Amino acid sequence: MFTQVKLPYAFAALEPHIDALTMETHYGKHHASYTANFNKAAEMAGFQDKDAVWILSNLDSVSDPAVRTALKNNGGGYYNHNLYFSQLSPNPAHEPAGQLAEKINSTFGSLENLKAELTKLASGQFGSGWAWLAANANGDIMISASPNQDNPISEKTGYIPILALDVWEHAYYLKYKNLRGDYLKSLFEVIDWNIITENYNAIIK
Ligand SMILES: [Fe+2]
């Protein structure tokens, strides 16, 4: 059974960057609903014993198109939000460490440049979707954007996301209205680069 990541902080802990009502609605309603619907779809596909990465990597093996779509949308919603909520902290480290820090500098020039490129992708994602920093087993990193609840796993890129920028309006509209750029700037204030570094270290072989 798939369960939402437990939040190690209160809904109000990320104020003023992310407001309590948005957190409560996003986690308690949107993410809860993706998770419940993912469990139903996984059961219909006979995938209860598989993990989410496996399911999102093997959507083509599901013959019923309605179940396949439900798995992609709700499995993505479940997985993407677990990553999103678990990377946030009221006391975040503002810089990555170790190999990831070196890789960011060699690939993007600097952390500031990576954040600017990621912000550009997230701002330019038309409609609902995500922007990602993702890594592969060789330690390479890349940035990309996805519509809806797609991600680099369901897109079969060979990369696993390690940082997630949710640009669905439900992530920011209550506080930021149409100002997605202001939300993204604030979101970076509560992204904990220690966690992004851990995510990277868990992927590289
Ligand atoms: Fe979301």
Side-chain angles (χ1 to χ4, degrees), residues 26 81 166 170:
H26 199 181
H81 287 94
D166 187 345
H170 67 222

Side-chain angles (χ1 to χ4, degrees), residues 14 17-18 84 87-96 104 111-123 131-133 143 162-167 176 180-193 196:
L14 306 177
H17 306 292
I18 307 292
Y84 177 82
Q87 74 192 348
L88 305 179
S89 166
N91 299 298
H94 288 294
E95 294 195 358
I104 287 171
L111 178 63
E112 285 315 305
N113 200 45
L114 163 65
K115 285 160 72 174
E117 295 285 325
L118 252 180
T119 299
K120 205 187 296 174
L121 274 181
S123 303
W132 313 100
L133 174 63
I143 56 173
I162 60 173
L163 182 156
L165 302 180
D166 187 345
V167 292
Y176 294 96
R180 187 186 281 187
D182 288 358
Y183 153 71
L184 288 167
K185 205 168 168 203
S186 293
L187 181 58
F188 273 115
E189 293 296 317
V190 289
I191 286 180
D192 187 341
W193 283 90
I196 310 304

Side-chain angles (χ1 to χ4, degrees), residues 26-27 30-31 34 77 80-81 84-85 129-130 148-149 165-172 183:
H26 199 181
Y27 179 86
H30 293 280
H31 191 200
Y34 289 124
N80 297 344
H81 287 94
Y84 177 82
F85 289 119
W130 296 78
N148 306 316
Q149 294 298 350
L165 302 180
D166 187 345
V167 292
W168 281 62
E169 284 184 345
H170 67 222
Y172 62 89
Y183 153 71

